[in-house]
Amino acid sequence: MPIASLLNRERVSTSKRALDRQDALAAVADLLGQPGALEALLQREQMGSTAIGHGVAVPHGRIAGLKAPVGAFLRLPTPTRFGDQDVDLVFALLMPTDNPQLHLHALADIAALFSDDDVRERLRSAVNDDVLFHLLAEGASS
């Protein structure tokens, strides 16, 4: 699943202030713009941290009735703790409940994107949200 298909410009943002994990999840849930997003993300996070290393977290959840996968990206100005890891790059994912395989494939694609040192560095140094969006779209298509 192309990661670029999960995003649009309005769902990519840089936080202007430091956030703790709860606030970061609430902010990225707002970007997702789906009813029940925060609850789904919190429920999954309670099962265990969604931090995947290198300062990246991929909170995710499933929502009944969701027609298509939806993603959002939030860059934090200072890292916050997700479990035992400091995180400053948060890519949230919501999936329909009726396709668990699609969910797993999307998570794998996101993890692959963020395993690239260059992608992470470019996201951290992006000057604004437009650049962030284009980097995510480009990084996801390479």
Side-chain angles (χ1 to χ4, degrees):
M1 154 172 287
I3 293 170
S5 70
L6 299 170
L7 295 171
N8 65 32
R9 170 57 195 85
E10 291 74 33
R11 292 195 306 264
V12 174
S13 184
T14 301
S15 175
K16 302 300 183 216
R17 61 181 182 88
L19 302 172
D20 63 18
R21 182 182 63 150
Q22 179 83 15
D23 287 339
L25 289 171
V28 79
D30 283 346
L31 290 173
L32 287 164
Q34 298 293 318
L38 180 56
E39 293 77 13
L41 298 180
L42 287 171
Q43 183 178 34
R44 171 55 187 86
E45 198 69 30
Q46 288 173 351
M47 295 169 52
S49 174
T50 55
I52 62 170
H54 304 288
V56 178
V58 186
H60 54 280
R62 297 181 190 173
I63 295 184
L66 191 65
K67 301 289 186 221
V70 179
F73 178 80
L74 178 66
R75 183 179 71 189
L76 302 173
T78 57
T80 191
R81 298 296 282 181
F82 273 66
D84 63 353
Q85 297 182 41
D86 288 331
V87 166
D88 64 333
L89 304 176
V90 181
F91 191 107
L93 177 66
L94 293 178
M95 300 294 286
T97 57
D98 60 354
N99 195 338
Q101 281 301 103
L102 182 64
H103 190 142
L104 294 175
H105 287 297
L107 288 173
D109 290 345
I110 293 165
L113 173 67
F114 285 103
S115 69
D116 185 313
D117 294 338
D118 184 54
V119 168
R120 292 190 314 270
E121 185 54 40
R122 289 176 19 200
L123 291 170
R124 289 185 173 113
S125 61
V127 296
N128 61 42
D129 295 347
D130 291 328
V131 174
L132 275 176
F133 173 71
H134 291 293
L135 287 171
L136 286 163
E138 288 171 11
S141 63
S142 56

